[in-house]
């Protein structure tokens, strides 16, 4: 309240004081010049071009072309209609090597293509079985034959050198 007992006078004075403390006009504060806008667009575009270039180079460098050759089992240690587990291409990638009833060898990622549970070999049925939702894959190609999976298991390519079986790559 002012000396004359007027409430309005005090409020007017407070407003003026506030304007003196912060001398920025709201309209001018939000005013963007054409030059600033062009500068922003140019820098933004340059940044996007640079980010695209970096992504392209990183994509080429990270291309998974080369797999290491890794020994995974001895052929003599794998009887007919049996399997052995191994990890390939890294220790975080579980795989399964199966010798079928006809003696042929095939290897697959052990990660089910439905929801990533581990498949196991069921020699009595000659299938790879996923216990999570009862998914079945054939052992000769890793194709889904029953249950929810619709994609085949990634195949691990194999090579033999004498009795040693090597994993050489992954075919998705
Ligand atoms: S996770 Fe294998 S069937 Fe669902």
């Amino acid at each position: 309240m002012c000396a004359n007992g007027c409430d309005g006078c005090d409020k007017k004075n407070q407003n003026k004081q506030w304007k003196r403390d912060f001398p920025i006009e709201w309209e001018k504060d939000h005013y963007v010049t054409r030059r600033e806008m062009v500068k922003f667009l140019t820098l933004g575009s340059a940044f996007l071009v640079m980010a695209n270039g970096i992504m392209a180079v990183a994509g080429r460098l990270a291309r998974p072309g080369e797999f290491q050759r890794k020994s995974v089992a001895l052929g003599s240690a794998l009887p007919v209609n049996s399997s052995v587990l191994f990890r390939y291409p890294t220790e975080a990638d579980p795989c399964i090597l199966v010798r079928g009833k006809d003696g042929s060898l095939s290897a697959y990622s052990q990660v089910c293509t439905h929801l990533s549970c581990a498949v196991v070999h069921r020699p009595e049925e000659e299938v790879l079985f996923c216990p999570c939702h009862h998914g079945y894959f054939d052992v000769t190609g890793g194709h889904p034959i029953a249950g929810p999976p619709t994609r085949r298991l990634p195949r691990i390519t194999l090579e033999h050198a004498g009795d040693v079986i090597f994993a050489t790559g992954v075919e998705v």
Side-chain angles (χ1 to χ4, degrees), residues 111-119 129-137 146-149:
V111 180
C112 178
T113 54
H114 178 225
L115 290 176
S116 303
C117 288
V119 298
F129 173 68
C130 179
C132 284
H133 311 104
H134 292 212
Y136 289 82
F137 300 87

Side-chain angles (χ1 to χ4, degrees), residues 41-100:
L41 289 176
T42 305
L43 288 176
S45 301
F47 174 77
L48 286 177
V49 167
M50 213 168 66
N52 254 343
I54 290 170
M55 297 268 288
V57 170
R60 280 179 187 269
L61 293 177
R63 185 173 292 170
E66 300 284 314
F67 287 100
Q68 297 285 319
R69 191 173 190 251
K70 180 182 175 186
S71 67
V72 293
L74 291 176
S76 57
L78 198 62
V80 165
N81 203 22
S82 69
S83 63
V84 67
L85 302 179
F86 63 100
R87 292 184 177 267
Y88 186 82
T90 72
E91 287 304 305
D93 303 307
C95 298
I96 187 164
L97 171 64
V98 180
R99 186 186 289 281

